Amino acid sequence: MKKIFSHPRSLRKVTTHYCPGCGHGIAHRLISEVVDELGIREKTIGVAPVGCAVVAYDYWDFDCSEAAHGRALAVATAIKRVKPKTIVFTYQGDGDLAAIGTNETIHAANRGENLTVIFINNAVYGMTGGQMAPTTLVGQKTATTPKGREVKGQGYPLKISEMLKVLPGVKYLERVSLHSPQEILKAKAAIKQAFLNQIQGKGFSLVEIISPCPTYWGMSPRQSLNWIKEVMLKEFPLGRIK
Amino acid sequence: MINNLKRVLMTGNEAIAEGAIQAGCGFYAGYPITPQNELIAYMAAHLADSGGVFIQAESELAAINMVFGASACGVRAMTSSSSPGISLKQEGISYIAGAQLPAVIVNVMRGGPGLGNIWPSQADYFQATRGGGHGDYRSIVLAPSTVQECYECMPLAFSLADQYRMPAIILSDGMLGQMMEPVLMRSHKPLAISHKPKWALGNSKGRSPNVAKSFYLREGDLEKVNLLLQKKYKTIEAKEQRYQGQYLDDAKVVLVAYGTMARIIKSITHKLRGQGKKVGLLRPITLWPFPVQAFERLALGKMAKKFLVVEMSAGQMLEDVKLVINGRSAVGFLGRLGGGMPSEEEIIKNITSLL
């Protein structure tokens, strides 16, 4: 008899600290499944962000490094350069990657660093209590946009993946979502592609994952999945960007 | 890397870079800023030849965090900058201290505060010796005063950083960084002790995963880590004090200076001794740990001594001297600020008033 489904070797059996309906747990598992399937657990190094996923290394059963807020791609760049045989990825939220760490994101991409980036976009700062993120939608209420995000003074949702498209050093960009089982399978395929690109030495690959945050969207888990599908994806359309 | 045992004329900045390469530095990331640009240029030209990795980072923040990443992999890593850039690196240095990673950070000091100017200064003493970033931590601080010493302090800095798993700072300044002197190359083999730590990230086959981190959320855990750091700092304070003394045995006035300032004081001391005046020099080489043992010996000596601290600052090392002397002797101060340097005439006048 052949075993076709089990707990991923790369995912520790620990209790989750994430809120009900949060997407981080799914994303952590998808990465673990991909690492297992590619047989790279012993040479994988994950770089955790500052944000809700700050203790991602408590879930993954492979080597990890922390990084100061926004600096994951600086840390990852050095790790990959001094240990080129390892497989290095960063796991970053929208605040980490597209606000405080925009500089590191753009320059690591522009240098064409052979890295894999998993970018969790949930349009809000979770760990600090639901403040406006660079990706917060126009009109979306947060702790720091109590009347909803206004274009005047607060600008538009930042589309970092589309911005990165113009850089020659970037080899692969895809936006995926966690709002349904079908989309989760597509997300896994994109993550796998981004890791394969690194294994094959192709260069900078980034997967943007639209992920639910029921707690700071003020919704039930079910409502938040519908909100992704009906509202968020209009601003952040899915599919291959590059 | 220079391979022959010979004297080479080079700047202090280049001597630091060459010393680092010979000490087995495997990673350098930096960002241009005056007056340390010869250092980053030397690394760009020579580090790769020795198998190291050079990156011109997009910012000081990226550079210090790259050092974090390389160091987490067990590779000897360093960065360099000058005062405003070193301020930008402080968050990263705090993380390196918290995660107990070895790293070497070179500060070629210039005038401040703010953008200040590009003249030599010693006004970053507090920042270097008190931690600089957030949290209860220390960095080992070495202060070379000749170009030869710039070269020689690098293997020592890497060895101490590795041994104690913490940041080591080289406190140079714009004068020392820019001046040229002949440097005697001691060896063409790596000078620092071997370094293959068990905690390093990399191939995890046959062991449980390693994590490089400074984050301890569970109640009590962070205090335990801090107590461990403090214990380490006590050991360093007891074992790693370094200084140079000159004419201390019978000196009535002990001049205290480090780095560039100590060079000038040294020649003045010789000159005054030639005139039969009983002056001596105590030059701290480690600014942290501060060489309190040397001061204790002087304070306990029979002869009543007076101290004169001379700095290119408003009086920062002065506080450490006063702390150790603790009212037992008079401690005078002479300093110039914002890139200025006390003149020989001014210094001699101050010494004479104490004799």
Side-chain angles (χ1 to χ4, degrees):
Chain A
M1 209 190 297
K2 198 183 167 197
K3 197 173 182 181
I4 58 164
F5 189 81
S6 66
H7 188 93
R9 171 69 184 84
S10 294
L11 192 68
R12 293 177 204 260
K13 289 180 180 171
V14 292
T15 309
T16 184
H17 82 288
Y18 294 114
C19 304
C22 172
H24 276 304
I26 299 169
H28 286 11
R29 182 178 174 118
L30 294 181
I31 291 166
S32 302
E33 288 179 358
V34 165
V35 166
D36 285 359
E37 287 167 20
L38 296 172
I40 54 173
R41 191 185 69 84
E42 289 170 336
K43 56 177 178 175
T44 293
I45 302 176
V47 182
V50 169
C52 287
V54 64
V55 291
Y57 43 71
D58 286 346
Y59 296 95
W60 290 318
D61 203 13
F62 42 72
D63 280 7
C64 284
S65 178
E66 76 174 6
H69 198 27
R71 316 293 166 228
L73 275 164
V75 172
T77 292
I79 292 174
K80 185 69 182 181
R81 294 281 196 103
V82 300
K83 296 278 174 193
K85 286 179 187 162
T86 57
I87 302 301
V88 184
F89 75 94
T90 68
Y91 184 99
Q92 300 175 263
D94 36 51
D96 196 89
L97 182 135
I100 195 167
T102 318
N103 201 25
E104 282 75 7
T105 305
I106 289 172
H107 286 279
N110 193 46
R111 288 190 302 264
E113 298 292 345
N114 189 25
L115 294 168
T116 303
V117 181
I118 308 300
F119 167 34
I120 306 295
N121 177 0
N122 59 11
V124 77
Y125 281 69
M127 197 192 202
T128 45
Q131 296 86 356
M132 179 180 72
T135 49
T136 292
L137 302 192
V138 173
Q140 187 183 336
K141 285 184 179 175
T142 70
T144 50
T145 55
K147 293 176 187 168
R149 182 176 191 166
E150 293 175 281
V151 168
K152 193 183 175 195
Q154 290 156 345
Y156 297 91
L158 191 72
K159 291 182 179 137
I160 193 92
S161 296
E162 279 82 353
M163 286 166 66
L164 292 174
K165 188 180 176 182
V166 300
L167 302 178
V170 175
K171 293 298 169 223
Y172 175 70
L173 292 166
E174 182 150 359
R175 186 180 288 121
V176 296
S177 171
L178 302 178
H179 73 272
S180 74
Q182 294 92 319
E183 297 302 329
I184 290 170
L185 287 175
K186 286 189 204 165
K188 183 177 170 182
I191 293 169
K192 197 165 192 173
Q193 187 60 52
F195 274 89
L196 272 170
N197 288 347
Q198 186 180 160
I199 292 167
Q200 292 161 5
K202 287 186 178 167
F204 194 88
S205 301
L206 182 147
V207 180
E208 176 177 340
I209 302 177
I210 305 295
S211 178
C213 179
T215 301
Y216 291 113
W217 292 354
M219 298 176 194
S220 71
R222 171 64 64 117
Q223 285 170 331
S224 64
L225 297 180
N226 288 336
W227 191 75
I228 289 181
K229 193 177 162 191
E230 284 156 22
V231 182
M232 205 170 159
L233 294 190
K234 290 200 174 78
E235 190 67 40
F236 294 102
L238 301 184
R240 185 82 179 254
I241 296 167
K242 187 173 186 178
Chain B
M1 183 157 63
I2 294 158
N3 279 313
N4 303 320
L5 297 176
K6 59 180 179 185
R7 283 187 188 275
V8 182
L9 189 67
M10 57 198 335
T11 65
N13 285 338
E14 290 165 331
I16 285 177
E18 178 61 28
I21 292 171
Q22 291 191 27
C25 176
F27 183 87
Y28 173 94
Y31 186 85
I33 182 171
T34 308
Q36 64 88 51
N37 294 316
E38 296 76 14
L39 210 169
I40 182 171
Y42 197 96
M43 283 300 198
H46 300 292
L47 185 58
D49 296 342
S50 308
V53 174
F54 168 87
I55 300 180
Q56 178 171 338
E58 60 270 34
S59 71
E60 307 291 1
L61 305 177
I64 190 69
N65 286 286
M66 286 174 182
V67 167
F68 183 106
S71 176
C73 295
V75 171
R76 286 206 168 101
M78 75 174 272
T79 184
S80 66
S81 188
S82 178
S83 307
I86 294 292
S87 294
L88 279 171
K89 291 184 197 290
Q90 293 303 327
E91 182 200 31
I93 298 172
S94 170
Y95 273 66
I96 287 167
Q100 299 202 69
L101 295 174
V104 175
I105 300 111
V106 179
N107 181 1
V108 185
M109 291 183 283
R110 58 186 254 181
L115 196 53
N117 60 24
I118 57 169
W119 294 96
S121 168
Q122 294 183 322
D124 301 348
Y125 180 96
F126 283 154
Q127 185 193 54
T129 59
R130 267 62 179 169
H134 59 285
D136 272 319
Y137 77 93
R138 296 282 190 174
S139 302
I140 291 165
V141 185
L142 302 175
S145 79
T146 64
V147 176
Q148 181 74 37
E149 259 194 293
C150 285
Y151 164 73
E152 285 179 358
C153 72
M154 295 312 289
L156 176 64
F158 278 107
S159 296
L160 290 172
D162 290 345
Q163 186 184 345
Y164 294 107
R165 294 178 59 182
M166 63 187 284
I169 293 173
I170 307 298
L171 213 53
S172 175
D173 65 69
M175 176 81 82
L176 191 56
Q178 299 289 318
M179 70 165 57
M180 292 184 98
E181 283 181 324
V183 177
L184 179 67
M185 298 291 154
R186 300 262 182 208
S187 167
H188 55 270
K189 284 179 183 163
L191 299 174
I193 52 170
S194 71
H195 179 60
K196 280 182 184 165
K198 286 180 186 159
W199 45 261
L201 310 181
N203 190 332
S204 63
K205 198 173 182 180
R207 62 161 168 81
S208 54
N210 286 335
V211 177
K213 64 161 189 167
S214 61
F215 187 60
Y216 299 91
L217 201 54
R218 231 172 36 187
E219 193 182 348
D221 283 2
L222 185 58
E223 187 170 31
K224 276 185 207 154
V225 172
N226 266 284
L227 290 171
L228 194 75
L229 291 180
Q230 293 303 318
K231 197 175 160 194
K232 180 162 81 176
Y233 299 155
K234 285 272 174 257
T235 307
I236 296 167
E237 280 173 342
K239 289 169 73 174
E240 304 296 351
Q241 296 179 24
R242 286 169 171 80
Y243 73 100
Q244 185 191 20
Q246 226 166 15
Y247 307 117
L248 288 178
D249 292 344
D250 64 344
K252 284 186 178 172
V253 174
V254 175
L255 299 158
V256 189
Y258 70 93
T260 287
M261 206 60 246
R263 302 171 64 96
I264 296 160
I265 298 293
K266 205 177 205 173
S267 62
I268 291 172
T269 310
H270 285 309
K271 194 172 176 179
L272 293 179
R273 277 280 166 174
Q275 298 167 10
K277 290 177 177 157
K278 293 198 168 175
V279 293
L281 167 67
L282 200 165
R283 176 176 76 89
I285 295 170
T286 52
L287 301 180
W288 193 87
F290 196 65
V292 293
Q293 290 155 0
F295 284 91
E296 283 296 346
R297 277 194 293 275
L298 289 174
L300 293 172
K302 283 177 187 166
M303 186 174 293
K305 291 183 195 300
K306 291 174 181 170
F307 292 85
L308 179 66
V309 182
V310 189
E311 293 179 75
M312 287 138 66
S313 78
Q316 300 194 8
M317 182 173 68
L318 173 67
E319 291 196 2
D320 280 334
V321 177
K322 281 185 172 173
L323 276 170
V324 58
I325 297 302
N326 200 17
R328 288 176 287 184
S329 299
V331 180
F333 175 71
L334 176 63
R336 289 286 302 278
L337 288 74
M341 196 178 287
S343 68
E344 186 179 310
E345 200 180 25
E346 222 177 338
I347 297 166
I348 291 174
K349 205 173 128 192
N350 272 264
I351 297 167
T352 314
S353 72
L354 293 172
L355 278 166

